[in-house]
Amino acid sequence: MRALQLVLFLSFLSFFDACLVISGFQNDKCTPKDNTTYLLAYSNDIDSEYFSRLYKSSKVGYPVARKFVKLARVRFDVREPEEIEYYDNLNEFLSDTNYSLPDPRLSYNSTSEGSDVVSVLKNFLGKTKSPICGSKINVLMKRLPTEVDVESIVAKLRKFHVEVYFAISERPFGGNTLESLNEIAFKTNGLSTILTDEKLNMGVLHTQHYKEETLIYAANFNVSGKGTIELPPMTVPYDRRIFAFLMSFKDDRKILRNDPLIYDNYEFAAVSDALQSATITCTNTVTNTEFVYKYGVYEGYVNFRRTGGSLDKGIYTMKFEYEYANQDVERLFIRVSTLYNTPTVDYWVPYDN
Ligand SMILES: *[C@@H]1O[C@H](CO)[C@@H](O)[C@H](O)[C@H]1NC(C)=O
Ligand SMILES: *[C@@H]1O[C@H](CO)[C@@H](O)[C@H](O)[C@H]1NC(C)=O
Ligand SMILES: *[C@@H]1O[C@H](CO)[C@@H](O)[C@H](O)[C@H]1NC(C)=O
Ligand SMILES: *[C@@H]1O[C@H](CO)[C@@H](O)[C@H](O)[C@H]1NC(C)=O
């Protein structure tokens, strides 16, 4: 009897604990329709002219999804860490961003110092100024971090369904762990896109951004050489809507900072440019209608491909055909999302790893 009472008491305690956790802005029970926050985090090491391209395209760009009740912004990789700032509307957000462009006078004094990006993510998750659950983060990276406890930050991000989208310069400096950024993005159903400095802004505009877009599909898998594979089926929630098919990929080679041979070939070690072609075929399991999308190659998109097309409601089998120029193992990450004029879905796509 005592034992039973103890068990009841303990389970009451854990119930009580759960109630505490879900109160207020640290609530982890949300859907993609609920009020939340958008965060733009940008390294101070980005060329301010390229960063301004993002600012300019946002000014003429898409409407902010209604669910983003706050737009947040932070500049990182500065000697004196800055606070995350929160805004109620896009105009305030943009005009303030215009006055906080990357500024070389604020930079670390060494290009080999690691980025503080992960503390920025942790800091954001600890804030109570605006809802965290379901928030979306775009990060512009020029400097890599040095040591990252990926598991711990991923667990926190997943708990609150936060998707992280990195846009990383193809010529980074600083630390040595590009891989940890990839892991954070892929494990939060985000993406890690590598672009030329001139195109870094596209890594933000073409991922979730602050638009009314929601993920409906995420698959991660390994391939090599040339072939066709069957991906998990995809559920499309709406009829005759346009969906965006995003893909990023990387090969299995590691950046070995202490190896002068590889470090000289930094870009080749970090990024594969071996993808020749990629096509996805979605077949409706009821009507057998096929939709075939070939991923486009755009200048400056190093490991990132994008295509899009109309689909009808239903469940689809997914066939992926690929051709690489070499036989290395390549990790591929496919995401499908609604576009900004499509209604939001009310469920989270499960994590695929
Ligand atoms: C979401 O935010 C809007 C605008 O700030 C507010 O009017 C509405 O009550 C909020 N909804 C919930 C469920 O908190
Ligand atoms: C952006 O800042 C510059 C000064 O740094 C200023 O000349 C310009 O008017 C600002 N633009 C906007 C839209 O605020
Ligand atoms: C660079 O900054 C570090 C601390 O962040 C300091 O220890 C070091 O002396 C500085 N180096 C120079 C050349 O100023
Ligand atoms: C793909 O390969 C990477 C690197 O070898 C490995 O860490 C990962 O677990 C593999 N993923 C799958 C789904 O097999």
Side-chain angles (χ1 to χ4, degrees), residues 34-35 66-67 69:
D34 293 336
N35 282 352
R66 204 175 298 157
K67 69 176 175 181
V69 291

Side-chain angles (χ1 to χ4, degrees), residues 29-36 65-68 133-136 160-161 163 211-216 338 343-349:
K29 308 282 182 293
C30 62
T31 78
K33 282 181 188 282
D34 293 336
N35 282 352
T36 187
R66 204 175 298 157
K67 69 176 175 181
F68 291 122
C133 194
S135 54
K136 218 152 259 177
F160 294 111
H161 305 282
E163 290 163 21
K211 303 182 288 279
E212 187 80 74
E213 297 188 350
T214 344
L215 205 63
I216 62 161
T338 62
T344 308
V345 297
D346 60 2
Y347 53 84
W348 296 109
V349 173

Side-chain angles (χ1 to χ4, degrees), residues 55 59 94-95 98-99 101:
Y55 167 80
K59 271 193 93 66
L94 289 178
S95 63
N98 180 39
Y99 290 104
L101 300 178

Side-chain angles (χ1 to χ4, degrees), residues 216-321:
I216 62 161
Y217 184 77
N220 306 333
F221 50 96
N222 289 347
V223 295
S224 74
K226 180 180 174 184
T228 301
I229 60 168
E230 192 77 21
L231 304 180
M234 171 170 76
T235 302
V236 173
Y238 304 110
D239 250 335
R240 298 212 177 96
R241 294 287 189 166
I242 312 281
F243 295 90
F245 285 69
L246 306 175
M247 173 172 78
S248 71
F249 51 91
K250 65 175 290 286
D251 74 18
D252 198 22
R253 284 166 287 180
K254 298 270 187 292
I255 300 169
L256 298 176
R257 201 184 162 80
N258 295 327
D259 182 338
L261 197 66
I262 293 184
Y263 196 55
D264 281 348
N265 288 315
Y266 198 99
E267 295 145 64
F268 302 105
V271 175
S272 166
D273 57 0
L275 184 66
Q276 305 291 296
S277 70
T279 307
I280 201 154
T281 305
C282 317
T283 309
N284 189 302
T285 52
V286 175
T287 63
N288 269 329
T289 315
E290 266 191 4
F291 297 87
V292 182
Y293 304 113
K294 197 171 162 54
Y295 285 92
V297 181
Y298 303 103
E299 196 194 329
Y301 291 32
V302 178
N303 80 332
F304 177 40
R305 301 284 182 269
R306 191 174 188 272
T307 184
S310 168
L311 284 167
D312 291 331
K313 190 176 170 151
I315 296 172
Y316 289 81
T317 58
M318 305 283 276
K319 191 175 72 175
F320 183 75
E321 287 164 273

